């Protein structure tokens, strides 16, 4: 019944043409076929798929499962397919559901039925897991490189702006002045932790699942270690059921990306605030801003806004995949095909941002006049007076109350604390009745006095800068040792 030879042409079209065709009497409904297909998105795994198949094939030759002649034919076909994929000539066929079946079918078109031997000892379940591992490893390498680039720009800007003092905020209220470089370096360290996290995640992506078969291993004499060596994996999965069920490494990537975009979004928020007319601390370059189609005066920080907005989808992708997995029984379930789009979308999103941000930051101008004006015209140095009194034996709580009254008085007089005369200061405390007091209130003095390690004093920030350089150097070396760059 299933033998096409005996059927008229129009009947043939309706019969199963799938790899599982033997078991089925009728073809898949067209809408169902489109619904099930992952090809529109898993095409991205094409090179990984071919690379994994080559390693599998070489291992099958080595273990005698395939004869050298058969193996050579298959490898030759795979090389041609890799070429077609690279040059965009590969004829994708949606009815073949996914990238794995597309490659296999193409192989058989090229070398005939011997191509069907490639899948010996393998299932799409361990095949897709392998592709995903190769892909995630490559993505981490790329993201890490981009993060290193952004860190380098932050270091460069921090070095350049050591002399600039800006208001520091808590609750978005002026709190204490800081060196601008200090503020920038805070982001450097966030990115440093992001890199550490991605490198940690790499170790879990660096596991080789092939040989797990559908779920229980294989009756063929497979050499899983050989496949792992060829593809430069650090280790293999110890449990075949775990190997085909696990997408923790994808989830970890998405979690690392979620934290990363949270940092990028906070930086974006500051760029948006600082470039507003109310702050006017910076001006984003024309190359990275847009105008309004209606209001000619406007220059909009669209890019930072969009970065802030894209945090939503990157968080969403993590949540989507966590939700997919929460109730899945072992081992492979079709639900798991939903791992791809969130991963691809997050990769694209964060890499796009990381490609833009270094130049966006480098081209941003500081509005030094406005910054100076802001720093010198506020109350953000009065904590220095309280610290000064405390350093001279007055309990800090009392000192705080004394300075609080002074602030109240200055506000009532419509003056800045630095504008109060000695005779105005004297009643608050004899220690303040000194020519020193206005000195203490200077932002330069306030900044310079915060000498504690990791503080904002110029010397402390310079030391921090060199620690940051060394930390970056160390993580660059760690990445270099860890990463397999062969397939980039
Ligand atoms: N397209 C599938 C996926 O991405 C490949 C694995 C299919 N395995 C299966 N047993 N249907 O998950």
């Amino acid at each position: 019944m299933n033998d096409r030879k005996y059927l008229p042409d129009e009947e043939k079209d309706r019969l199963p043409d799938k790899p599982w065709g033997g078991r089925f009497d009728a073809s898949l409904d067209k809408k169902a076929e489109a619904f099930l297909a992952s090809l529109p998105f898993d095409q991205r795994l094409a090179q990984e798929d071919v690379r994994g198949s080559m390693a599998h094939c070489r291992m099958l030759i080595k273990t005698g499962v395939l004869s050298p002649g058969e193996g050579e034919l298959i490898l030759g076909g795979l090389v041609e397919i890799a070429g077609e994929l690279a040059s965009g000539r590969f004829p994708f066929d949606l009815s073949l559901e996914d990238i794995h079946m597309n490659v296999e079918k193409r192989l058989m078109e090229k070398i005939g039925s011997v191509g069907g031997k490639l899948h010996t000892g393998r299932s799409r379940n361990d095949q897709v897991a392998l592709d995903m591992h190769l892909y995630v490893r490559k993505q981490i390498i790329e993201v890490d490189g981009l993060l290193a680039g952004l860190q380098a720009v932050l270091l460069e800007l921090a070095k350049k702006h050591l002399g600039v003092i800006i208001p520091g905020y808590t609750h978005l209220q002026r709190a204490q002045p800081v060196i601008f470089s200090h503020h920038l370096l805070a982001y450097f360290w966030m990115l440093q932790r992001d890199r550490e996290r991605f490198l940690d995640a790499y170790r879990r992506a660096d596991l080789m699942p092939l040989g797990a078969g559908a779920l229980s291993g294989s009756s063929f004499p497979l050499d899983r270690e050989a496949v792992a060596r060829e593809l430069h994996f650090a280790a293999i999965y110890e449990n075949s059921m775990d190997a085909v069920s696990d997408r923790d490494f994808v989830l970890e990537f998405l979690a690392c990306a979620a934290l990363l975009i949270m940092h990028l979004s906070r930086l974006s928020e500051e760029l948006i605030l600082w470039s507003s007319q109310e702050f006017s601390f910076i001006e984003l370059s024309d190359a990275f801003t847009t105008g309004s189609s209606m209001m000619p005066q406007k220059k909009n920080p669209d890019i930072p806004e969009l970065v802030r907005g894209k945090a939503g989808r990157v968080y969403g992708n993590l949540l989507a995949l966590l939700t997919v997995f929460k109730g899945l029984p072992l081992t492979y379930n079709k639900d798991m095909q939903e791992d791809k789009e969130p991963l691809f979308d997050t990769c694209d999103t964060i890499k796009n941002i990381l490609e833009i941000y270094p130049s966006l930051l480098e081209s941003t101008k500081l509005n030094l006049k406005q910054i100076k004006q802001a720093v010198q015209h506020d109350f953000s140095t009065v904590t220095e007076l309280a610290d000064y009194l405390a350093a001279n034996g007055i309990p800090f709580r009392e000192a705080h109350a004394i300075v609080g009254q002074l602030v109240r008085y200055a506000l009532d007089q419509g003056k800045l604390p630095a504008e109060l005369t000695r005779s105005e200061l004297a009643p608050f405390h004899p220690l303040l009745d000194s020519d020193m007091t206005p000195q203490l209130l200077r932002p330069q003095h306030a900044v310079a006095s915060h000498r504690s390690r990791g503080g904002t004093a110029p010397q402390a920030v310079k030391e921090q800068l060199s620690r940051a350089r060394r930390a970056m150097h160390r993580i660059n070396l760690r990445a270099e040792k860890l990463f397999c760059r062969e397939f980039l």
Side-chain angles (χ1 to χ4, degrees):
M1 200 44 219
N2 212 357
D3 192 338
R4 290 150 189 252
K5 235 180 7 198
Y6 300 109
L7 291 167
D9 277 352
E10 60 281 11
E11 296 266 319
K12 273 185 197 168
D13 288 345
R14 289 208 306 272
L15 276 181
D17 48 4
K18 302 283 190 249
W20 52 81
R23 156 81 175 73
F24 287 72
D25 287 333
S27 282
L28 187 58
D29 174 88
K30 282 291 161 207
K31 285 210 167 71
E33 183 174 275
F35 180 68
L36 291 168
S38 53
L39 185 70
F41 46 86
D42 72 10
Q43 292 185 22
R44 270 206 208 210
L45 299 173
Q47 293 292 356
E48 282 76 15
D49 199 67
V50 171
R51 193 66 192 82
S53 285
M54 285 176 171
H56 181 63
C57 179
R58 288 204 184 93
M59 180 275 290
L60 292 179
I61 303 171
K62 215 178 125 221
T63 52
V65 177
L66 290 182
S67 74
E70 291 168 334
E72 284 312 314
L73 265 176
I74 292 174
L75 286 172
L78 289 172
V79 168
E80 276 181 33
I81 288 173
E84 288 181 348
L85 285 164
S87 62
R89 281 180 293 119
F90 186 89
F92 288 106
D93 177 354
L94 191 68
S95 74
L96 293 171
E97 186 173 316
D98 61 24
I99 186 61
H100 323 295
M101 296 204 284
N102 267 265
V103 170
E104 188 175 332
K105 171 85 182 307
R106 186 73 184 136
L107 182 65
M108 295 207 272
E109 277 169 15
K110 285 180 176 296
I111 65 170
S113 62
V114 64
K117 293 201 170 189
L118 171 63
H119 214 50
T120 313
R122 186 175 74 171
S123 149
R124 274 188 298 153
N125 298 353
D126 55 349
Q127 185 179 1
V128 70
L130 175 63
D131 293 2
M132 292 294 277
H133 277 273
L134 289 168
Y135 186 82
V136 168
R137 253 187 3 182
K138 181 169 140 192
Q139 295 307 311
I140 294 178
I141 297 173
E142 289 181 8
V143 168
D144 183 69
L146 291 167
L147 281 171
L150 185 54
Q151 278 188 312
V153 168
L154 288 170
L155 288 180
E156 193 186 294
L157 293 174
K159 184 178 167 210
K160 185 165 154 198
H161 296 303
L162 279 166
V164 178
I165 299 175
I166 62 164
Y169 297 80
T170 66
H171 312 268
L172 202 54
Q173 305 287 321
R174 298 260 181 99
Q176 291 176 334
V178 292
I179 293 187
F180 185 51
S181 312
H182 194 48
H183 198 123
L184 290 175
L185 285 171
Y187 285 100
F188 169 91
W189 296 109
M190 290 178 223
L191 298 184
Q192 182 77 3
R193 292 194 294 277
D194 288 321
R195 289 186 70 187
E196 285 166 9
R197 264 187 289 272
F198 276 112
L199 261 55
D200 290 343
Y202 187 93
R203 290 173 35 230
R204 258 88 56 195
D206 206 10
L207 280 180
M208 210 293 296
L210 209 67
L215 77 163
S216 63
S218 173
S219 57
F220 290 94
L222 306 181
D223 183 350
R224 299 184 62 212
E225 300 281 357
V227 176
R229 267 195 308 279
E230 173 169 343
L231 298 173
H232 300 279
F233 277 100
I236 62 176
Y237 276 90
E238 292 297 343
N239 180 309
S240 62
M241 296 179 80
D242 183 32
V244 290
S245 307
D246 178 33
R247 292 294 184 276
D248 293 358
F249 61 103
V250 180
L251 283 160
E252 275 190 73
F253 181 91
L254 295 178
C256 294
L259 277 168
L260 165 61
I261 202 158
M262 183 266 279
H263 296 149
L264 295 170
S265 180
R266 292 183 77 170
L267 173 61
S268 302
E269 171 64 13
E270 301 210 293
L271 295 174
I272 295 162
L273 277 176
W274 289 348
S275 62
S276 70
Q277 238 173 62
E278 284 66 19
F279 278 78
S280 290
F281 288 177
I282 59 170
E283 185 176 350
L284 298 171
S285 112
D286 288 358
F288 294 104
T289 41
T290 56
S292 156
S293 52
M294 186 196 161
M295 300 162 282
Q297 84 283 8
K298 291 201 70 188
K299 185 166 177 179
N300 296 330
D302 284 27
I303 292 175
E305 289 173 285
L306 200 51
V307 170
R308 198 175 54 183
K310 282 185 188 290
R313 69 201 284 160
V314 172
Y315 294 176
N317 289 336
L318 171 62
L319 258 295
L321 196 59
L322 281 169
T323 311
V324 166
F325 273 82
K326 72 176 274 293
L328 290 189
L330 299 185
T331 53
Y332 180 84
N333 300 270
K334 184 72 170 177
D335 318 42
M336 288 164 67
Q337 183 167 288
E338 286 289 306
D339 61 354
K340 292 177 192 61
E341 286 159 295
L343 173 66
F344 298 157
D345 182 68
T346 286
C347 288
D348 290 348
T349 304
I350 60 174
K351 287 197 300 188
N352 283 341
I353 298 170
L354 292 173
E355 273 158 16
I356 293 174
Y357 258 40
S359 330
L360 181 142
L361 293 182
E362 270 177 328
S363 63
T364 296
K365 283 205 201 70
L366 290 191
N367 190 350
L368 293 173
K369 243 171 80 185
Q370 181 65 26
I371 291 173
K372 198 166 171 193
Q373 169 77 10
V375 167
Q376 285 176 345
H377 289 85
D378 67 13
F379 284 60
S380 65
T381 55
V382 295
T383 313
E384 296 310 300
L385 295 186
D387 284 349
Y388 170 71
L389 295 176
N392 283 282
I394 297 164
F396 183 79
R397 283 289 154 234
E398 250 171 68
H400 185 283
I402 293 168
V403 177
Q405 283 158 7
L406 185 150
V407 166
R408 180 79 269 148
Y409 173 81
L411 284 170
D412 288 347
Q413 298 300 308
K415 285 182 165 185
L416 289 168
E419 291 166 348
L420 298 178
T421 62
R422 267 184 78 165
S423 57
E424 285 178 300
L425 289 165
F428 292 99
H429 197 275
L431 277 168
L432 297 178
D433 181 11
S434 141
D435 292 335
M436 272 275 290
T437 309
Q439 286 302 315
L440 293 177
L441 288 165
R442 290 179 60 231
Q444 287 78 356
H445 177 274
V447 163
S449 70
H450 289 220
R451 266 179 245 107
S452 58
R453 166 127 178 226
T456 196
Q459 191 51 36
V461 174
K462 275 185 206 149
E463 280 162 25
Q464 185 193 163
L465 190 55
S466 55
R467 284 207 176 83
R469 284 201 193 97
R470 289 201 296 276
M472 184 166 151
H473 183 65
R474 274 199 305 277
I475 201 160
N476 288 347
L477 289 178
R478 206 183 125 198
E480 203 50 51
K481 264 174 72 183
L482 186 66
F483 290 160
C484 158
R485 296 186 189 271
E486 193 186 329
F487 310 123
L488 286 185

